[in-house]
Amino acid sequence: MNNSPLYYRVGPLLYCPANNESIVNSLTNEKFGSKFSLAMCLEDTIRDDCVEEAENKLINSLHKLQEALATKTFFMPKLFVRVRNAEQMHRLIKGAGYAAALIYGFIAPKFSINNADNYIHVLTMLNESGRHPVWFMPIFEDFSLIHLQKRYDILYTLKEKLDTISELVLNIRVGGNDLCNVFGFRRSNIESIHNIRPVANIFSDIMTVYGTDYVISGPVWEYYNGEGWENGLVNELREDRLNGFVGKTVIHPKQIPFVNQAYMVSEKDYEDARAVLNWNTDSHSLVSGSIEKERMNEYKTHRKWAEKIMFLAEAYGISNLCEDNL
């Protein structure tokens, strides 16, 4: 869904291995700031023979965080768990007990035709039996999307399935590194993934199929140190936003402020969006110059853009910098 600011507030999604026991101290002391979401990963970051141990450590962290919240005030991000399969979702909710209330939702990596029904079934069951919504964020990164002859059928079939739980799908996410890995690609810290055409074409198809109904988040940027990494991230964020993505997966706290800055709304966009949404539709003209008289505003063709701008403004705030400087 993309008709509420709720779906725009995931923001920078910071990834962390689920067995990282220092995360409790980091969160209670606000080491990462106060404007991000958190993904505790049980998939690629955990060895196959250490999954049960990682689950137990994650549950222990949830209990410690719940206890800390009872005695201390600190920013608690939206916490998601990246699972390996649908059954793990049910097992974690049951195993966490009262601390399961801290699990805002689940992330389904390599979401595909083969596992979609299981995820949707378990998610529906959890929401029917739980006291609070359990949100869902599927990741489109499965190698099956590489095949052109099958891609459109896969994307539309998965959309039909997700549409049955559309109000619970907080974001659609894309797995840039997994898709690059199929081809053996890896971008440098000055190159954007949107210039890797085989992968960018997949992103474009995902946006075409899902972008009118869902918020889609940008892929991970893997650089967080060394000369030029900040400029590379800023440039890719600009292209993310131009291509319709909102928010981004991040792998280091240093990346968080860049994502938040990139999605702030400029004053001119905010004022033009307000003008479009407050248009006097009884007027004989549905087109006029913008607030700053530098571009055209048209009620019929800019209304959906204006709605999105207002959602972004509520989620990220308004900047006095023009978009070209972001």
Side-chain angles (χ1 to χ4, degrees):
M1 300 289 285
N2 60 10
N3 60 355
S4 164
L6 169 72
Y7 299 96
Y8 292 80
R9 289 178 180 152
V10 175
L13 180 63
L14 177 64
Y15 263 54
C16 175
N19 59 0
N20 184 343
E21 297 176 279
S22 68
I23 191 65
V24 174
N25 180 66
S26 296
L27 292 177
T28 55
N29 290 289
E30 296 188 347
K31 290 185 177 180
F32 307 144
S34 60
K35 200 171 182 182
F36 68 98
S37 297
L38 181 67
M40 302 297 288
C41 181
L42 286 164
E43 198 223 7
D44 288 345
T45 62
I46 304 297
R47 274 179 22 194
D48 293 344
D49 60 343
C50 296
V51 175
E52 184 177 356
E53 177 188 14
E55 287 184 6
N56 291 333
K57 288 184 176 180
L58 170 59
I59 290 171
N60 187 51
S61 294
L62 292 173
H63 280 277
K64 288 182 177 179
L65 285 168
Q66 192 74 284
E67 293 168 3
L69 286 167
T71 60
K72 182 179 181 180
T73 300
F74 59 93
F75 171 73
M76 182 64 204
K78 296 178 180 66
L79 191 154
F80 300 89
V81 181
R82 175 175 166 133
V83 293
R84 291 183 168 223
N85 52 59
E87 291 70 29
Q88 198 171 39
M89 293 162 53
H90 183 269
R91 187 163 65 248
L92 287 169
I93 290 289
K94 183 178 180 181
Y98 72 91
L102 292 180
I103 300 177
Y104 198 77
F106 290 99
I107 301 169
K110 300 173 182 62
F111 189 68
S112 69
I113 297 294
N114 294 330
N115 58 33
D117 290 337
N118 286 340
Y119 275 117
I120 291 170
H121 171 73
V122 173
L123 185 77
T124 301
M125 182 177 62
L126 291 176
N127 277 281
E128 288 176 348
S129 59
R131 297 180 180 178
H132 61 91
V134 178
W135 303 96
F136 188 58
M137 296 198 295
I139 307 179
F140 285 73
E141 59 184 353
D142 189 70
F143 70 91
S144 61
L145 293 175
I146 300 297
H147 303 288
L148 283 171
Q149 289 179 311
K150 301 177 182 178
R151 185 185 304 163
Y152 296 158
D153 286 341
I154 291 171
L155 289 175
Y156 280 106
T157 298
L158 288 174
K159 186 174 188 298
E160 289 177 1
K161 294 177 182 296
L162 286 174
D163 284 349
T164 64
I165 56 164
S166 59
E167 71 283 355
L168 295 173
V169 180
L170 203 57
N171 282 181
I172 301 289
R173 310 197 73 84
V174 295
N177 282 354
D178 279 76
L179 293 173
C180 282
N181 181 55
V182 177
F183 297 99
F185 297 152
R186 189 175 191 181
R187 65 199 186 279
S188 73
N189 68 350
I190 60 171
E191 295 171 323
S192 168
I193 198 168
H194 298 286
N195 293 324
I196 304 176
R197 298 313 309 169
V199 176
N201 287 340
I202 297 173
F203 288 173
S204 178
D205 290 340
I206 293 170
M207 185 62 67
T208 299
V209 175
Y210 293 86
T212 58
D213 298 314
Y214 295 92
V215 173
I216 306 175
S217 181
V220 66
W221 175 260
E222 60 187 333
Y223 296 93
Y224 59 89
N225 220 337
E227 184 179 357
W229 75 268
E230 304 100 323
N231 291 334
L233 174 57
V234 169
N235 289 334
E236 184 166 287
L237 280 163
R238 184 182 291 113
E239 294 192 21
D240 284 347
R241 185 166 175 177
L242 179 63
N243 285 282
F245 296 98
V246 176
K248 198 170 185 67
T249 297
V250 299
I251 45 81
H252 194 280
K254 290 165 66 174
Q255 298 174 337
I256 291 173
F258 291 94
V259 178
N260 284 321
Q261 176 66 39
Y263 284 95
M264 291 183 76
V265 171
S266 68
E267 289 184 0
K268 69 177 182 181
D269 275 355
Y270 181 73
E271 293 301 330
D272 282 355
R274 286 183 62 191
V276 170
L277 295 176
N278 293 325
W279 207 292
N280 178 8
T281 54
D282 292 329
S283 170
H284 292 294
S285 176
L286 296 180
V287 60
S288 73
S290 65
I291 298 297
E292 296 187 1
K293 303 303 180 185
E294 63 181 19
R295 60 182 176 182
M296 178 190 74
N297 283 336
E298 190 172 356
Y299 174 76
K300 288 186 177 180
T301 57
H302 293 133
R303 185 170 182 82
K304 190 158 188 177
W305 166 85
E307 291 172 346
K308 183 175 181 178
I309 289 296
M310 299 307 285
F311 291 145
L312 287 172
E314 186 169 340
Y316 291 91
I318 302 170
S319 171
N320 58 7
L321 298 174
C322 69
E323 289 182 350
D324 292 339
N325 292 329
L326 293 179

